[in-house]
Amino acid sequence: MQPPTILPGELPPGVEMVTLPGGYRTLAYTQPTPVPPPVPAARPIPTWAKTTALLAPTLGAGIAAAGYGISCAIPGLIAVTDALWAAVALIATGALAPLALKVTRRPSRRQAGPVQHITQNITATGLFGKATGTIHHR
């Protein structure tokens, strides 16, 4: 007797003709092949993302160049600050010198008026004697 034959169009859903590793062909239940989800269409890259991507290395290189420039300029900046402190000291000395000279100078005769001479003579007799004195104005 011959096994019943089923046409491929008569197979119920989920049943397929499969070939086993030994070479036998048989019917088997199979998992339905999942339909892959549709792939979304590629969108263009936004302009802000392109700008940011281009700006990041430029900004980093600028900061690196500034750091290198500052490290090269440090000796010169130290010399400039020393020169500025010397200039500040010179200006301060120049501003304070006239005041110092004015305080230490004797007043001139035109400003002070006539000079008065006072002579005082004091005499005392004995260790605990009363002292007497005279004042002479010239």
Side-chain angles (χ1 to χ4, degrees):
M1 179 169 175
Q2 190 173 15
T5 319
I6 299 178
L7 297 173
E10 297 174 352
L11 292 176
V15 177
E16 292 183 20
M17 182 69 75
V18 294
T19 305
L20 296 175
Y24 295 103
R25 290 180 51 96
T26 184
L27 292 175
Y29 289 104
T30 58
Q31 295 291 333
T33 308
V35 178
V39 177
R43 294 185 314 181
I45 298 173
T47 306
W48 66 266
K50 290 180 186 177
T51 304
T52 304
L54 292 174
L55 185 62
T58 305
L59 185 63
I63 291 172
Y68 178 73
I70 289 173
S71 70
C72 290
I74 289 294
L77 291 175
I78 291 172
V80 168
T81 56
D82 290 344
L84 287 175
W85 279 116
V88 167
L90 182 66
I91 291 170
T93 304
L96 296 177
L99 294 175
L101 290 176
K102 190 178 235 183
V103 168
T104 58
R105 254 194 277 172
R106 287 184 21 200
S108 65
R109 291 189 185 265
R110 285 180 278 149
Q111 295 173 355
V115 176
Q116 295 182 355
H117 292 282
I118 299 174
T119 306
Q120 186 175 12
N121 293 324
I122 300 173
T123 56
T125 56
L127 185 60
F128 297 106
K130 184 178 178 183
T132 59
T134 58
I135 297 176
H136 300 289
H137 296 281
R138 290 191 208 170

